[in-house]
Amino acid sequence: MADPDLRKLRVLRELSERGTVSAAARALHLTPQAVSQQISALGRELGVPLTEPSGRRLRLTGAARIVLRHADAVFTQVERMRAELAAHGSGERGEVAVAGFSTTLSALILPAVARLRETRPLLRTSVAEVDPPESFSLLHRGETDVVISADTPLHPGPADEDGRFDARFHRVPLCEDPFDVALPDGHRLLDSRRLVLADLARETWIFATTGMCHDIGVAACKAAGFTPRASHAIGDWDATLAAVRLGLGVALVPRTAGPAPRPEVTVRAFSEGAPSRTVFAAVREGSQTSPEIAAVLDALRTVAGAAVAG
């Protein structure tokens, strides 16, 4: 049995995640023929069949599942080796790519990059706006180094079959991101000393179109004892505040979204029981001790606290 090639192991992992040879080929920027050839070659090296026909597709064999289980441990160990090699040097130089969804860019990622320019001027960082789950696919393939994401019990981060956080990644909590409420001028609760979600049960609501922010808002209202009456679905926070200003409803806004202030709109924090989501960073398991990545994580933790301060 020959020693397995790491590149071929990554191709096998991609086929497992994507489900088809063509999808794996697109993700790896290879041809389907090249993907099939790499997996066939890996099977010959290991002396076991890794795929079998299933209709017009290929299905992974039981042997392939064993290989993948050990491959994840191999990938983690390689990341640890890279981290130790980086730590062997001064740690001042390096390149770190960071990916996050839109609201984390202005609130967390860009302020962290600005901070690093002062504290680690020789450390180069690049930023990309990418939503999960694609951001985690990029992280696994090594096309980015740090992913910023968020989760709730309804929308957990990447998990294995047992519901535990995906062992291929290391999770670093950054902050609990509360949702505040945007109210128009003249609203009856603008000057109330105490404000809870149940006080808004009779309001007309503006929610995000779909996804986590929409589901958090609806679930929080139901937990507060009422079913919200939704009037509009808007996916842009500045447009949401414009709708609030026009008296079209009230809206829950995550604090990290930080939309530009608008006249005639007040964004108020709840006195207690605010809905929230957990914002976290993820890196490849084993890479968190790399001095370059550790510096980025430290900067993100610092700016995260300021971003959600009441």
Side-chain angles (χ1 to χ4, degrees):
M1 181 185 296
D3 291 334
D5 186 319
L6 281 179
R7 290 172 297 181
K8 296 186 182 74
L9 286 174
R10 292 192 186 279
V11 172
L12 182 64
R13 164 54 71 188
E14 202 67 36
L15 175 60
S16 172
E17 289 189 349
R18 301 287 176 173
T20 66
V21 170
S22 58
R26 287 194 298 271
L28 293 167
H29 308 294
L30 298 172
T31 65
Q33 182 181 16
V35 168
S36 298
Q37 289 173 347
Q38 295 245 30
I39 292 175
S40 296
L42 179 61
R44 289 194 298 272
E45 292 170 4
L46 297 175
V48 293
L50 298 176
T51 61
E52 57 190 9
S54 177
R56 300 180 64 183
R57 296 187 174 189
L58 290 180
R59 178 172 56 201
L60 297 184
T61 64
R65 300 293 177 189
I66 294 174
V67 171
L68 286 171
R69 187 169 69 249
H70 289 281
D72 287 338
V74 171
F75 296 149
T76 294
Q77 198 58 40
V78 169
E79 290 296 338
R80 287 178 177 151
M81 177 189 69
R82 290 172 175 167
E84 289 185 20
L85 288 173
H88 181 69
S90 66
E92 290 298 318
R93 292 183 180 272
E95 297 184 11
V96 180
V98 185
F101 60 95
S102 59
T103 57
T104 63
L105 290 180
S106 57
L108 300 179
I109 298 174
L110 296 178
V113 169
R115 179 180 178 84
L116 287 166
R117 289 183 65 183
E118 297 180 0
T119 60
R120 301 286 291 271
L122 299 180
L123 179 61
R124 296 179 58 188
T125 53
S126 60
V127 173
E129 180 181 339
V130 187
D131 292 336
E134 179 60 25
S135 55
F136 287 95
S137 295
L138 294 177
L139 181 62
H140 173 64
R141 297 200 299 268
E143 295 177 30
T144 194
D145 301 303
V146 182
V147 162
I148 311 301
S149 188
D151 62 11
T152 70
L154 288 175
H155 291 267
D160 61 18
E161 294 178 354
D162 297 322
R164 295 170 297 195
F165 191 77
D166 193 324
R168 294 173 298 164
F169 307 124
H170 178 77
R171 185 180 189 276
V172 180
L174 296 179
C175 62
E176 198 66 21
D177 184 18
F179 281 62
D180 302 320
V181 63
L183 303 171
D185 265 6
H187 193 277
R188 59 188 174 83
L189 295 174
L190 270 184
D191 299 319
S192 70
R193 297 181 61 183
R194 182 177 180 275
L195 178 63
V196 296
L197 193 54
D199 296 332
L200 299 160
R202 299 196 309 272
E203 300 292 333
T204 298
W205 286 89
I206 303 164
F207 286 119
T209 49
T210 58
M212 181 183 295
C213 289
H214 172 275
D215 295 346
I216 288 173
V218 173
C221 291
K222 290 181 177 179
F226 67 96
T227 298
R229 181 162 54 96
S231 61
H232 301 282
I234 301 176
D236 175 80
W237 294 116
D238 287 327
T240 296
L241 291 192
V244 172
R245 180 179 64 83
L246 293 171
L248 302 181
V250 300
L252 291 172
V253 182
R255 197 166 294 172
T256 55
R262 284 183 173 269
E264 303 174 16
V265 175
T266 299
V267 178
R268 276 200 58 177
F270 290 102
S271 303
E272 59 185 67
S276 67
R277 60 185 179 181
T278 301
V279 178
F280 66 93
V283 300
R284 288 180 295 279
E285 180 59 53
S287 71
Q288 62 269 24
T289 56
S290 162
E292 293 89 352
I293 290 179
V296 173
L297 293 175
D298 285 343
L300 286 166
R301 278 191 289 259
T302 298
V303 301
V308 297

